[in-house]
Amino acid sequence: MPATPPTKVRRSALILGALVVLIALVIDQASKYWFLHIYDIAEKSPVAVTPFFNFVMVWNYGISYGLFQQDTDFGRYALVAVKIVVSIGLTVWMVRTHDRLIAVSLGLIIGGAIGNAIDRVVYGAVADFFHFYVGSFSWYVFNLADVAVVAGVTLLLYDSFLRHRGQDRDGRSSEGAEGRG
């Protein structure tokens, strides 16, 4: 069976990554629209779902874990600009990769970043709804864009540390590879 040309492999990975960006973005924005405009979480918050999980309405004016709170237009758009620059860099990486797992990982991160950037532009802050807690220990409140970013980073870490253990990037055993460059 002839080897798949690199451009076809790259195109396949890019199409998959772009599809993941679109899916992550649509799911994130649809869930936010539903919580904000149909379910009206702001009026109902908090809503106990289980003894350890609530739906709540939290506007995050900062970045992850509420760090670097920005309550000015300059700060808000500076965070949007950072997300755009990071998304462009990750998109360049996605365009260059031949690896489908990396393309999916990057697609999740890009889709999540764009979803949260849209919130900042439209609402001035990121809408977060999901709150896990155990007793008095409370995890941060998050949204589906955050889930996509964490899943994408987790997959990249898996790829970096575990996926190719004992193999080089072409799937060949790394034993006896001391002489290769």
Side-chain angles (χ1 to χ4, degrees):
M1 185 166 132
T4 307
T7 54
K8 279 191 174 184
V9 173
R10 182 179 293 157
R11 187 177 318 124
S12 171
L14 177 60
I15 290 168
L16 179 61
L19 184 62
V20 169
V21 169
L22 184 62
I23 290 169
L25 180 59
V26 167
I27 289 172
D28 171 65
Q29 290 297 295
S31 71
K32 289 173 181 173
Y33 182 84
W34 185 82
F35 270 109
L36 292 171
H37 302 290
I38 296 171
Y39 186 72
D40 197 15
I41 188 66
E43 290 296 318
K44 298 175 182 176
S45 180
V47 176
V49 178
T50 71
F52 56 87
F53 176 69
N54 290 342
F55 293 141
V56 298
M57 180 67 244
V58 173
W59 290 104
N60 183 356
Y61 293 89
I63 59 171
S64 296
Y65 307 104
L67 298 171
F68 307 114
Q69 293 289 310
Q70 301 296 317
D71 50 8
T72 66
D73 281 343
F74 175 78
R76 174 173 105 180
Y77 289 112
L79 290 178
V80 170
V82 167
K83 287 186 186 280
I84 289 170
V85 168
V86 168
S87 294
I88 290 169
L90 294 174
T91 300
V92 168
W93 183 4
M94 189 170 65
V95 166
R96 292 180 177 175
T97 190
H98 296 263
D99 190 296
R100 294 167 63 95
L101 179 65
I102 291 175
V104 167
S105 304
L106 295 171
L108 287 166
I109 297 167
I110 295 164
I114 293 171
N116 282 341
I118 289 171
D119 283 13
R120 284 197 196 287
V121 170
V122 173
Y123 304 113
V126 174
D128 290 328
F129 311 106
F130 307 115
H131 180 224
F132 283 99
Y133 57 93
V134 176
S136 63
F137 176 76
S138 175
W139 193 242
Y140 75 107
V141 181
F142 59 95
N143 60 44
L144 293 180
D146 299 331
V147 172
V149 169
V150 169
V153 169
T154 301
L155 289 172
L156 284 177
L157 290 172
Y158 165 76
D159 180 71
S160 294
F161 294 113
L162 299 174
R163 183 170 168 218
H164 298 290
R165 184 173 285 179
Q167 295 180 345
D168 65 13
R169 287 283 178 172
D170 295 326
R172 294 178 295 226
S173 171
S174 60
E175 294 178 18
E178 300 84 48
R180 290 194 319 220

